[in-house]
Amino acid sequence: MNGAGNDFIVIDNRFYNFSVPELSTLAPHVCSRRIGIGADGILALSLPEFSDADYRMIYINADGSEGTMCGNGARCLARFAYEGGIPKRSAWMQTASGTCEVCIPENGHIRIYLDIPEDYITSFDVETDLSEQFRSIHYVCPGTQHLVCFITNIHSFPVKNWGAILRKDPNLGSEGANVNFVEVDKTKRLIVRTYEKGVEDETLSCGTGAIASVYSARKCGEITKDRCVVEMQGGQLTVGLEAHRVVLEGPVTHVYRGSFEYLIPDRNIAY
């Protein structure tokens, strides 16, 4: 499945009951675009651990690290769960960063609702020496860590080079951050390109990156509206800022269904 180009291998883990370590072992093999299926990460639909959730999302990055929140992944899993026997158009999803509401309309884009980010730092200082294309850098955490860099000439900007450097800037600590490079056009639409940690590359879109970019743009005065279209390499996402929460909406697409075989070492069984 993919959400605006952000692609995932989606597993019904209610049947397999893979543990997080098992999924982490599996991810680098199946997410490889050269020798595997190819994806930005694995989504596992699992039984909830808490009574206030309808189901649980386990998200594993392509490199095997567990992700705390994935906006596009949550939207994809919401549709997968709805079509897989949890027929609630409004449901609650448990994630590693908390429980969030998801909405599957009869017609239209799938939405998720997250709390307003509490961790925001304007004019975030990095140790990296920057080029003059950088206008300002901000830090925000809408479920996972993000840098938001307002730049010029985004289409020719070397995202992979700068993303790999800034993603591990010492001032971010050991966890690092996803890095969003943002240009605001004349219509106040945001054009965003994101380098994601755990994928260690530019992805075609990033849901939490879109949220982080709009939130930062609103806080620092780059935009004045509370609802904004975000143009990413894989398509458009829309972010709305409400009083106590943020809404992310956009397309979700099934690419194909299939099966693969992989030996889980500790179980000595091929799935």
Side-chain angles (χ1 to χ4, degrees):
M1 300 179 74
N2 80 81
N6 201 184
D7 62 334
F8 310 97
I9 297 166
V10 190
I11 299 172
D12 192 337
N13 205 38
R14 297 172 298 175
F15 172 74
Y16 292 111
N17 197 31
F18 290 136
S19 67
V20 170
E22 286 174 332
L23 291 168
S24 294
T25 299
L26 178 65
H29 297 278
V30 297
C31 291
S32 171
R33 298 192 184 277
R34 296 288 186 179
I35 59 173
I37 297 169
D40 292 330
I42 290 179
L43 299 170
L45 173 64
S46 304
L47 296 173
E49 298 174 310
F50 309 115
S51 59
D52 62 346
D54 295 293
Y55 50 88
R56 177 188 178 195
M57 176 181 77
I58 300 175
Y59 175 60
I60 307 295
N61 290 305
D63 69 353
S65 59
E66 183 179 9
T68 51
M69 167 52 74
C70 178
N72 284 328
R75 295 190 310 100
C76 287
L77 197 72
R79 178 172 171 182
F80 184 80
Y82 180 79
E83 295 174 350
I86 306 176
K88 293 185 175 182
R89 292 199 177 276
S90 180
W92 291 92
M93 177 190 298
Q94 177 191 343
T95 76
S97 67
T99 302
C100 67
E101 185 180 5
V102 300
C103 180
I104 302 96
E106 290 188 23
N107 296 296
H109 291 163
I110 293 176
R111 300 190 295 271
I112 63 166
Y113 297 89
L114 303 178
D115 293 337
I116 288 285
E118 294 183 356
D119 297 326
Y120 172 77
I121 302 172
T122 190
S123 300
F124 185 81
D125 288 326
V126 295
E127 289 192 14
T128 305
D129 292 330
L130 303 175
S131 74
E132 41 184 52
Q133 280 185 270
F134 286 83
R135 296 173 47 234
S136 65
I137 297 183
H138 310 262
Y139 174 89
V140 63
C141 185
T144 190
Q145 303 90 345
H146 281 270
L147 284 183
V148 177
C149 308
F150 290 97
I151 62 167
T152 57
N153 302 318
I154 192 168
H155 295 297
S156 61
F157 191 82
V159 165
K160 189 169 183 177
N161 293 341
W162 278 107
I165 295 169
L166 288 170
R167 165 259 185 279
K168 296 181 178 179
D169 188 89
N171 288 349
L172 292 169
S174 59
E175 292 187 353
N178 298 325
V179 187
N180 305 278
F181 301 94
V182 185
E183 185 173 341
V184 183
D185 70 10
K186 294 179 181 179
T187 66
K188 297 301 180 181
R189 179 188 61 167
L190 268 59
I191 305 169
V192 179
R193 296 174 63 186
T194 302
Y195 184 97
E196 289 199 52
K197 63 175 184 173
V199 181
E200 305 308 329
D201 204 348
E202 180 180 6
T203 56
L204 291 182
S205 74
C206 176
T208 53
I211 292 172
S213 298
V214 172
Y215 186 78
S216 297
R218 185 70 174 86
K219 291 284 284 186
C220 72
E222 291 281 350
I223 60 173
T224 58
K225 52 190 176 182
D226 292 328
R227 184 176 177 84
C228 187
V229 172
V230 179
E231 187 72 40
M232 293 187 148
Q233 299 276 75
Q236 289 186 344
L237 297 171
T238 303
V239 175
L241 305 178
E242 301 180 354
H244 302 292
R245 62 182 186 174
V246 179
V247 57
L248 171 72
E249 60 182 280
V252 165
T253 305
H254 284 288
V255 179
Y256 65 87
R257 297 179 184 273
S259 60
F260 61 91
E261 193 168 282
Y262 178 71
L263 183 67
I264 299 293
D266 293 339
R267 297 191 189 186
N268 199 30
I269 299 173
Y271 287 93

